[in-house]
Amino acid sequence: MATAAPARSVFAPAPTCAVPPVPDPAAAVQWRPLAAIGVLGAALIAYVGLAHGARQAVLLALGVGLGVALFHSRFGFTSAWRQLVAVGNGAGLRAHAVLLGTTATLFALIIGTGTGLFGSEPAPSGGPLGVGLLLGAFL
């Protein structure tokens, strides 16, 4: 009588994943440049808020916050592809696929229901395909 193989957890790494490399130990945080950049960022957000309104300031703050978070977590397409090619670890690309799928689903819900911020009504838009788009996609 043959026994069945044990069931694999849904959250367990795929059997084709390689072990991720051990990162180098991080250096101490340099507080002066970090504080200077924080003050400059806050000043820029305040300026944009005064010159262009609260909507643009909130969007800038959201963009800066997400950029800083993604930069420090090394959550980028380049590092994900590098991990896949160099060591066979596809966890980064799977995370990007989940991110893109979630984003597409949420945008479909937002556009479908017409729920917008600051009294706006979101709508899909399309632009012409051109050399700039092709060059940007290539880069």
Side-chain angles (χ1 to χ4, degrees):
M1 177 154 95
T3 61
R8 192 171 63 88
S9 170
V10 174
F11 299 109
T16 58
C17 287
V19 177
V22 177
D24 295 332
V29 175
Q30 297 179 0
W31 290 104
R32 287 183 183 142
L34 183 63
I37 290 172
V39 168
L40 285 173
L44 178 64
I45 291 169
Y47 168 74
V48 168
L50 293 173
H52 302 286
R55 177 181 184 176
Q56 296 302 319
V58 168
L59 291 174
L60 178 62
L62 181 63
V64 167
L66 287 172
V68 167
L70 293 174
F71 173 76
H72 283 287
S73 67
R74 295 184 179 175
F75 190 73
F77 289 110
T78 304
S79 63
W81 278 105
R82 187 180 314 119
Q83 289 293 323
L84 178 67
V85 172
V87 294
N89 184 355
L93 286 179
R94 284 193 301 275
H96 280 283
V98 169
L99 173 75
L100 290 172
T102 304
T103 304
T105 303
L106 291 176
F107 270 103
L109 289 172
I110 289 170
I111 291 172
T113 61
T115 305
L117 297 175
F118 302 105
S120 66
E121 185 174 331
S125 64
L129 301 178
V131 175
L133 177 71
L134 295 175
L135 182 63
F138 177 74
L139 289 175

